[in-house]
Amino acid sequence: MSTFIDLGLQEPINKALTDLGYETPTVIQQKAIPQIIASTDDLKAFAQTGTGKTAAFSLPIIELADQTNANTQAIILSPTRELAVQIGKNIEDFSKYLPNLKVATVYGGANIEEQIRKLKRGVQIVVGTPGRTVDLIKRRALKLGNVQWLVLDEADEMLNMGFKDELDRVLEATPDSKQTLLFSATFPREVEAIANNYMSNPVEITSGQKNQGSDNVSHEYYLVNEKTRYPALKRVADLNPNIYAIVFCRTRRETQEVANNLIRDGYNADALHGDLSQAQRDSVMEKFRKKNIQILVATDVAARGLDVNNLTHVINHKLPDQIENYNHRSGRTGRAGNKGISIALVSKKEQGRLRPIERIIKKKFEHTPVPSGSEICQNQLFHLIDKVQNTEVNTNQIESFLPSIYDKLEDLSREELIQKFVSLEFNTFLSYYENAPDLNNLSSRENSRGRSSNENMTRFFINIGRKDKLNPAKLIGLINDQKIGDKVEIGAIDILDTFSFFEIDKNFEGDTLEAFAANSPDFNGRNVNVEVTKTDRGSGGRGRGRGSRRDGGRRDGGRKGQFSGKRRSNDETPSKGFGRRRSESSNKKGQNSENFSRRRRRR
Ligand code: AMP
C-alpha cells in the first residue's frame, strides 16, 4: 500500500496530512497525485464527491508550486461558494508547514475589496466561484497570465448552474501552456464538450466506473403517495434514532415546507436553500456539521460543497429533475469509507424514473417497505436500552441520594423495575405507534385520502379533560388499557378543558361501555365515566346532543373526523399533548409522532 511520500509528496505536506488523520491515499489520490506531479498532460478525472478528490488535485499543486514566486500559479474553479471555501480551507490545512505558500478564496456575496487586497499581497493558489473570478479578472485584480494549473472541480455542476460563459472567460485569461485538470462525478455531453474543446489528449483516471455511484451506498426506494410521502419520511427518522441525513427536495418551496413540517413535528431539522441569506446558510451548515441539526432539508445546489463524511442517510423526498443529480445526492453519504443509505420516496408514477438512474449508478434499487410502527418501537426500545447500558454513572454525584432511592424501590423486583422504567420512557410512544397504519397499503382510504367515514363510529363523552392532564395519547392509552377488543378502531378525539370526546368503532359501542363500567378506571385521581354522545351526524355538525351542550359551543371543540376518523391510523395524527401545550383539541394531522419526537430529541 503506498503512502503519501511514495506518491511523491514532500515531508511537510505528509506531516500536515498526518495531522489531519489522512493515513493512506484514496484510490483517486493514488492515481492523480503521481500523474500530475510527473506529467504536464491534461487530466480528466471521474470522481464522486467523497472520494478524496480535493486532495487529489490540491496536493500535487501544493507540491509543485513555486513558493518563492508570488504570482498566481493555480486557479481552481468550483460551482459554489461553500465548496470553494472548503477547498481553500483544505489547501491551507495541507500547506500549513509551507509558510510561504498562500491561497485566496474568492466568491460572490463577500466583500470584493478585501479579496482584491488579499490577491495584491500575492497568492500562488486561487480558489474561486466562476462569477466572482471573472469579476476579478475584469477588474484586473486577478491575473492569470502565469497560471500553470487550471482545475475545474465538479465541472458537471458548474455547467448545470449555467456557468459556461464564465468558464470560457476564465479559460481565455489563462495561457495555453497550462495543465487543465477536470474533475467531475458525471460526464454528460456538456462536460465532454468542455473536455474536447479545452483539453488536448487528456489522460483519463477514475476512482470507480464513469458516473457510477459509490460502492458504500445502498439504494432503496419506498413506494408512497402524496399522503404518505411525509409520514414515510418521518418513519425513516423514527426508525433511526441516530439519523444524520440530508433530505433532498427539488425546489426551494418544497424544501422549506418539508423543513417546516419536520421542525413543527419536533425533529431536529432545518432548511438550506437559495432563498436564505448567505449568513443564514452559513449558520445552518455550521450547525449541521456540528450535528446540532440531525436532518438537513436542502436543494441540490445549496447542499453542494457541504463537507460532511458521516451521513447515515440521503433521502430523496422527490427524485431530482435531472437524473445525473441523483448521483450527486447519494454521493453525500458512504464517504471516506463509511457505509450509507440512499432512500428515494417515489410514487407509482415516479417509479419509472428509477430505471435510468439504475443504469447510471450500475446498481439496483431495493424496494423496501415503509417501516411499521412495531419495527420503529423495537428500534427505539433497543436504542434506549443501549443508551442505558452505555451510560456512565457518576456515583459521587448521586451517592447521597441512593440509600433513600433504594429504600423507596425496595419492593420492586428487578423485572418490575425494568418494566416501569421502560414504560416511563416509552408509554406514549408505544401507544402512538401501537396501531399505526401500514403505510405500504396505498390503496387504503386512510392512506390515499386521509379520511374515513364517521358513520361507522360511535362518539363517546368522557369526564376528564385537559385540566386532568389528559392528552390524546394518554386517552388512547386509557382506552387501550380497558382491553375492549382486539384491534378496536379509535377515531376522532377532542380534548377539552374538563371533559373530552372520542370515537370508537360502532361495533364496539357496548363493549366500550361495559369495559369502562367494569374496570371503573381512575385517571389522575378522578373516577372515569364514559357515556355515548348522541350527535346528529347528518347535520354535519354537533348541534345537538351531549357534545354540543358540554362544549359550550366551542368552535374548535367539535370538529369531526379530524383524526382521519381512524385512531388505528394514528400515525399521521399523533398527540400534541405529549410535549407541549396546545389549546386546540387534538385535531391536527401529525400529532403523535410530533410530540414523541420532540420529547425524545429534547432529552
Ligand atoms: P472530497 O472528496 O475531497 O470532498 O473528500 C471527502 C472527505 O474525505 C473529506 O472530508 C476529506 O477530508 C476526507 N479525505 C480525503 N482524503 C482522505 C484520506 N486519504 N484519508 C482520510 N480522509 C480523507
Side-chain angles (χ1 to χ4, degrees), residues 4 22 24-26 29 49-54 307 309 335-336:
F4 285 105
Y22 289 22
T24 43
T26 65
Q29 290 161 4
T49 43
T51 52
K53 66 183 168 60
T54 311
D307 184 44
N309 285 333
R335 303 178 72 176

Side-chain angles (χ1 to χ4, degrees), residues 186-360:
T186 60
F187 274 72
R189 234 174 306 136
E190 299 81 356
V191 179
E192 291 291 0
I194 287 266
N196 293 338
N197 293 343
Y198 295 115
M199 302 168 88
S200 43
N201 294 325
V203 174
E204 279 191 21
I205 58 168
T206 169
S207 63
Q209 284 192 23
K210 268 192 201 182
N211 295 347
Q212 193 181 324
S214 155
D215 279 345
N216 287 333
V217 182
S218 59
H219 302 265
E220 302 176 3
Y221 75 95
Y222 289 12
L223 216 44
V224 297
N225 60 27
E226 289 324 306
K227 280 280 174 210
T228 62
R229 194 181 292 273
Y230 177 66
L233 170 64
K234 287 200 300 182
R235 288 205 185 178
V236 176
D238 283 346
L239 187 72
N240 299 283
N242 287 331
I243 193 165
Y244 183 43
I246 301 182
V247 177
F248 280 100
C249 297
R250 285 181 312 181
T251 63
R252 296 167 186 196
R253 194 163 156 207
E254 180 194 338
T255 304
Q256 194 59 58
E257 269 174 21
V258 173
N260 287 349
N261 288 342
L262 287 170
I263 294 164
R264 179 204 65 197
D265 289 352
Y267 292 86
N268 196 354
D270 215 333
L272 185 71
H273 55 71
D275 282 348
L276 304 178
S277 70
Q278 192 58 55
Q280 286 171 317
R281 276 195 275 164
D282 288 347
S283 152
V284 170
M285 284 204 275
E286 189 56 16
K287 283 192 219 151
F288 188 58
R289 276 195 202 100
K290 290 186 173 156
K291 292 198 174 178
N292 292 338
I293 294 171
Q294 266 183 288
I295 304 174
L296 183 72
V297 190
T299 55
D300 293 277
V301 171
R304 298 251 102 200
L306 181 64
D307 184 44
V308 281
N309 285 333
N310 36 5
L311 288 186
T312 56
H313 293 76
V314 159
I315 302 172
N316 294 265
H317 182 256
K318 294 245 174 98
L319 287 173
D321 287 328
Q322 290 180 314
I323 53 172
E324 283 86 9
N325 270 343
Y326 178 85
N327 225 352
H328 280 299
R329 290 179 174 188
S330 58
R332 316 298 310 176
T333 185
R335 303 178 72 176
N338 298 321
K339 293 266 179 231
I341 301 174
S342 174
I343 295 175
L345 303 178
V346 293
S347 66
K348 282 218 167 95
K349 246 186 4 208
E350 293 160 343
Q351 221 177 337
R353 301 188 59 214
L354 295 174
R355 296 291 152 263
I357 295 175
E358 287 180 337
R359 280 198 284 277
I360 288 180

Side-chain angles (χ1 to χ4, degrees), residues 10 36 40 57-77 91 98 100-104 119 121-127 141-151 170 173-181:
Q10 51 188 293
I36 301 169
T40 54
F57 60 73
S58 307
L59 293 174
I61 293 174
I62 296 169
E63 173 67 35
L64 297 173
D66 181 355
Q67 295 164 56
T68 60
N69 179 340
N71 287 333
T72 297
Q73 296 160 43
I75 171 80
I76 299 168
L77 290 182
I91 294 176
L98 301 172
N100 296 322
L101 192 93
K102 304 282 181 225
V103 58
L119 292 173
R121 287 200 290 273
V123 289
Q124 289 92 353
I125 303 175
V126 174
V127 187
L142 177 60
K143 300 195 173 68
L144 299 182
N146 294 305
V147 155
Q148 292 176 52
W149 301 277
L150 165 70
V151 180
V170 175
T174 55
D176 290 343
S177 56
K178 71 184 174 296
Q179 183 178 18
T180 301
L181 312 171

Side-chain angles (χ1 to χ4, degrees), residues 20 83-94 103 105 127:
L20 290 170
L83 186 57
V85 169
Q86 189 60 46
I87 296 170
K89 164 118 190 18
N90 280 348
I91 294 176
E92 274 172 14
D93 290 342
F94 299 153
V103 58
T105 309
V127 187

